[in-house]
Amino acid sequence: MHKNLIFIFSLMCSPVIIAAGPSINEINSCLALVDFVDIKLDESSDQYDAGDMVRIHKGLSAYSEFLQHDIITPKLLSMYGGNSDRAELMQRLFERQRKSFFRHLNERYTQKKLLTDYASAINDCSGKTRLSVAVAEALKAALDNMEMLAMQK
């Protein structure tokens, strides 16, 4: 009985449960959004305090790396039974999808400023995965800074 409880508890805490959560396409869209916002930030960095920009870049970069290395890559390898060649092929397809997503977002957001809906959309994405404490703290600082800067403009 005690072993069964330990087994059940370990399953509840397992990252496998997260894998049953959002689709890999949803996570790839989140990655595209984060990378897009990070690029847009560079375009408008002269409008904001350098320290705020560093905090935002740090948080967005940490979240982007987390999504790619801790969520997408392992999911792709799992989907293809560990076949890294097939996973890499799908990764290239995802990269093309992100470029298309960038074009769509560039058409919609032509202004060179941070908008509160960027922060809101990224926050929605972060709720789809369980973040490490370090990534969660860096991302929260970034989103808080983005919202603060958006309110100033």
Side-chain angles (χ1 to χ4, degrees):
M1 167 100 171
H2 187 359
K3 287 182 181 180
N4 287 341
L5 287 175
I6 292 172
F7 178 72
I8 290 170
F9 180 70
S10 67
L11 280 178
M12 290 172 52
C13 296
S14 172
V16 172
I17 292 174
I18 293 173
S23 75
I24 194 165
N25 288 326
E26 285 178 283
I27 299 300
N28 189 54
S29 294
C30 289
L31 177 59
L33 175 66
V34 170
D35 291 346
F36 171 79
V37 171
D38 208 20
I39 290 168
K40 280 294 186 186
L41 196 104
D42 285 336
E43 293 174 2
S44 60
S45 62
D46 60 335
Q47 299 176 21
Y48 303 108
D49 176 70
D52 289 330
M53 294 294 103
V54 168
R55 279 187 292 281
I56 294 170
H57 274 304
K58 180 181 175 187
L60 294 179
S61 294
Y63 186 49
S64 176
E65 289 175 21
F66 167 79
L67 290 175
Q68 181 61 59
H69 299 293
D70 295 348
I71 304 293
I72 294 174
T73 299
K75 275 191 173 198
L76 286 174
L77 284 169
S78 176
M79 281 174 52
Y80 293 106
N83 184 328
S84 60
D85 291 336
R86 292 186 75 195
E88 179 61 32
L89 189 63
M90 183 57 85
Q91 180 62 46
R92 282 190 237 130
L93 176 63
F94 279 171
E95 288 166 8
R96 280 186 277 176
Q97 286 176 334
R98 279 197 297 272
K99 287 179 185 175
S100 174
F101 191 63
F102 278 15
R103 280 193 304 276
H104 170 72
L105 288 173
N106 266 320
E107 290 169 5
R108 182 170 177 201
Y109 297 104
T110 56
Q111 302 160 311
K112 292 184 178 180
K113 65 179 185 178
L114 295 175
L115 303 174
T116 55
D117 46 336
Y118 285 159
S120 177
I122 292 172
N123 189 50
D124 289 347
C125 282
S126 71
K128 295 178 183 182
T129 57
R130 189 176 305 179
L131 305 175
S132 70
V133 173
V135 172
E137 288 174 354
L139 183 60
K140 182 180 181 338
L143 297 178
D144 289 348
N145 269 278
M146 287 172 63
E147 290 178 1
M148 179 190 69
L149 294 175
M151 301 279 186
Q152 291 175 0
K153 293 288 173 180

